[in-house]
Amino acid sequence: MIRFLDRSPEKRSGCKPKAPFSAASLLAMLGFSCYIFWELLGIFGALPFAAPYFPSDSLWLMRVCGFFVLAASFLVATKAYRRLENRPILVLGIGAASALVVLLLSSLFPLLAAPPVWVGIIAWSAHGLSLSFLMFAWALYFSACFDSWTAIVVAVGYVIGFSMFFLYSLTIPFDNTASSLFLGFASAATTIGMLAFLLFASKMPLHMLERRQEDASDDDAEKKEGSDAPARITLKTVSRVVYATTCGVNFGFAIILLQSIGTMSVSYGAIGGMIGCTIALIALSAGVLSRGADIRRIGFVPIAAPLLFLPLGGIISYILCSIPIIATSIFTATVSWYNTARRSSSKHRGPIEVFSKEKMPGWFGLFIGAIVCEIAVTASSDVFTVIVAALVALVCVAFAFLELCTYSSTDDQRASVKEGKEQIEFRSRRFRDRCDSISQSYGLTPREAEVLVLLAKGYHADSISAELSIARPTTRTHIQHIYQKLTINSQQELIHIVDTRE
């Protein structure tokens, strides 16, 4: 197992890991797996310790509200990320308080004869809020402590979390609500406790966060100076957002589709997730996922093609459709956690800024997909078929749009590079022509002409001696002769003559 984990991307490329696999990495792996379990309890398990106390026809509204709050939190974070990144205690506190609200309300539900629907909406919304802010806290940690083990920590955390959730899903038919509530308390408390320890017991995260706070102040000053320049939104950026949202729509559709077939659907969803994160673990360990385009192209077919099983009808078609979509979505999510931490660490950008902008389209897509699926499963078969066909067409069009924009952007970059090279060559020829013209006009010798070119480029006597492989006194003699022939006294005057030469 250790040998397998040691095949990190950096190790594979021949670089030594930045740090050994430490106790902090192990704690992060276990804490992150508990967070994944807490996330799955709400998204796949539909809050199993709360759902039994509400009528089935109102559960869809509560789930959708939770997804909406989760997506809206990411939208807010794209605007207020600097305030959050510099206040890790606030981020973790909101996540912990929201989780506590969910668990306290769930503890009260057995005491109520018929809990009002609005209380359930609060519980699901609080769960969505807790997920988003705990995600932000983990993003802060992974970015601040990014090293060669981060990919393994994230991927193994996903695998352990889904494994625990799969084992838990096998107990659902026994209707043990008390056990579900206990697991909810355990997973929330464990991830919050370990995350708090990792963020505040280590000096590195706080040091990194303080440095980012200084960087943010510098960025604010730069933005204030250049506030008149609007942010540039390219067509490629729009195409990425559209495709990520479309994939999120299919993910949300698959989740609700599984939940519509009964309690065993949780096990099927867990199987799909285990497949996805296990593949991501293998890929990240081998270091073969370095580009977003590779991930996108790998995931396109498993996202679009499974929808074609639905016209077959029946529960089997629901399972055959949902498992590949869920596996692909979890595969992408696992890799994106690592890539987000890597980009934030290498570019010194705030992790919440990178993470929220990366994840927001997908979560809004999940919210939309959940609504679409609720409409589809309650509609007639003809409407259901039309919705499925629309989803297939949507993901195909979004993928094609993104690929076209990617190729167009690549062509533009190549053209820009080519144009830049041509401009450099043109300026170089003009510079050389000017120097040759001056050499001929003032009767410089061939060696003096070579020295003139280097002087005009800003070289000093020592550099010219090394470049032309001549003695330093000889170089100074050539320079003196050049100055005498051009009737100048300094190198700056010579540069001026070259620059103004027609």
Side-chain angles (χ1 to χ4, degrees):
M1 180 66 176
I2 295 298
R3 290 181 64 187
F4 174 72
L5 292 180
D6 197 43
R7 293 178 63 205
S8 61
E10 288 79 4
K11 194 78 172 177
R12 184 175 179 268
S13 62
C15 300
K16 294 182 179 180
K18 299 176 184 176
F21 190 78
S22 61
S25 298
L26 180 61
L27 280 179
M29 184 184 295
L30 297 177
F32 189 64
S33 67
C34 290
Y35 164 74
I36 296 300
F37 185 80
W38 172 249
E39 178 180 317
L40 298 177
L41 282 176
I43 293 180
F44 285 97
L47 291 187
F49 38 78
Y53 303 101
F54 294 92
S56 57
D57 58 352
S58 64
L59 286 178
W60 74 271
L61 176 62
M62 300 175 193
R63 283 195 296 257
V64 167
C65 288
F67 293 153
F68 174 75
V69 170
L70 179 57
S73 300
F74 276 88
L75 178 61
V76 172
T78 60
K79 306 297 182 183
Y81 58 87
R82 285 214 175 94
R83 296 181 181 179
L84 297 175
E85 284 164 354
N86 300 323
R87 295 174 176 83
I89 296 177
L90 175 64
V91 173
L92 188 59
I94 294 176
S98 303
L100 182 62
V101 169
V102 178
L103 295 169
L104 289 178
L105 289 177
S106 300
S107 302
L108 294 176
F109 289 152
L111 305 178
L112 303 175
V117 173
W118 64 267
V119 179
I121 291 175
I122 293 176
W124 262 266
S125 299
H127 185 265
L129 191 66
S130 73
L131 290 184
S132 60
F133 275 85
L134 290 178
M135 283 186 205
F136 297 152
W138 277 113
L140 286 172
Y141 171 75
F142 284 133
S143 176
C145 292
F146 181 83
D147 61 18
S148 57
W149 289 105
T150 302
I152 304 302
V153 169
V154 169
V156 174
Y158 256 100
V159 172
I160 295 174
F162 264 98
S163 300
M164 292 191 300
F165 186 70
F166 175 72
L167 295 176
Y168 154 77
S169 70
L170 300 179
T171 68
I172 289 180
F174 299 101
D175 193 23
N176 194 340
T177 307
S179 297
S180 298
L181 184 59
F182 171 76
L183 290 174
F185 270 106
S187 62
T190 302
T191 188
I192 292 168
M194 287 187 175
L195 184 54
F197 175 81
L198 291 167
L199 277 174
F200 305 114
S202 173
K203 294 182 179 180
M204 174 176 279
L206 291 179
H207 171 72
M208 295 287 288
L209 291 173
E210 288 170 0
R211 183 173 59 79
R212 280 204 183 93
Q213 187 170 7
E214 296 174 358
D215 294 343
S217 300
D218 296 339
D219 291 343
D220 285 336
E222 292 177 4
K223 284 193 172 183
K224 189 172 182 181
E225 292 177 2
S227 58
D228 295 335
R232 184 184 177 188
I233 300 177
T234 64
L235 193 61
K236 185 178 179 181
T237 302
V238 173
S239 64
R240 283 178 176 173
V241 171
V242 170
Y243 184 70
T245 304
T246 303
C247 291
V249 169
N250 283 16
F251 184 39
F253 187 90
I255 291 174
I256 303 302
L257 191 67
L258 271 184
Q259 292 182 357
S260 68
I261 68 176
T263 55
M264 283 304 294
S265 64
V266 176
S267 298
Y268 300 134
I271 291 172
M274 288 176 65
I275 294 172
C277 60
T278 301
I279 294 174
L281 172 60
I282 296 171
L284 287 172
S285 299
V288 296
L289 292 176
S290 59
R291 298 193 311 156
D294 296 334
I295 301 168
R296 179 175 68 248
R297 288 161 188 161
I298 291 171
F300 168 64
V301 173
I303 286 286
L307 292 169
L308 302 176
F309 286 111
L310 291 180
L312 299 176
I315 294 177
I316 298 299
S317 69
Y318 285 14
I319 296 172
L320 292 176
C321 169
S322 299
I323 287 182
I325 294 177
I326 291 173
T328 305
S329 299
I330 298 304
F331 164 80
T332 304
T334 307
V335 176
S336 70
W337 269 95
Y338 167 70
N339 286 338
T340 298
R342 182 182 63 181
R343 287 199 303 271
S344 176
S345 177
S346 63
K347 296 182 180 179
H348 305 295
R349 290 177 59 191
I352 294 181
E353 175 192 8
V354 177
F355 191 75
S356 58
K357 291 179 179 178
E358 174 82 16
K359 292 286 191 178
M360 183 188 67
W363 284 113
F364 263 109
L366 187 145
F367 163 65
I368 296 170
I371 296 176
V372 170
C373 189
E374 291 289 354
I375 296 172
V377 296
T378 57
S380 63
S381 58
D382 292 338
V383 174
F384 184 83
T385 302
V386 170
I387 291 176
V388 171
L391 289 175
V392 175
L394 182 64
V395 70
C396 290
V397 170
F399 180 77
F401 177 47
L402 178 54
E403 287 298 305
L404 288 173
C405 292
T406 300
Y407 287 128
S408 176
S409 176
T410 302
D411 291 340
D412 291 342
Q413 289 176 358
R414 289 174 180 171
S416 178
V417 170
K418 183 179 179 181
E419 182 181 355
K421 289 181 178 178
E422 291 176 349
Q423 290 179 351
I424 292 173
E425 292 175 358
F426 176 72
R427 287 196 295 267
S428 178
R429 286 197 303 271
R430 289 193 62 189
F431 171 79
R432 193 77 191 195
D433 291 342
R434 288 171 177 173
C435 291
D436 290 343
S437 175
I438 292 173
S439 299
Q440 292 175 5
S441 299
Y442 291 93
L444 302 184
T445 66
R447 178 61 81 180
E448 289 172 351
E450 291 178 349
V451 174
L452 171 71
V453 171
L454 297 178
L455 283 172
K457 289 181 178 180
Y459 282 54
H460 296 293
D462 292 343
S463 301
I464 295 173
S465 299
E467 182 74 17
L468 299 180
S469 300
I470 57 179
R472 185 176 177 183
T474 305
T475 301
R476 293 193 175 277
T477 300
H478 288 316
I479 294 174
Q480 184 179 3
H481 290 166
I482 292 170
Y483 286 175
Q484 289 174 352
K485 291 179 180 181
L486 271 63
T487 64
I488 57 176
N489 297 312
S490 68
Q491 185 178 16
Q492 190 60 42
E493 290 182 80
L494 184 145
I495 293 174
H496 177 72
I497 290 174
V498 174
D499 288 342
T500 57
R501 186 77 172 186
E502 292 295 334

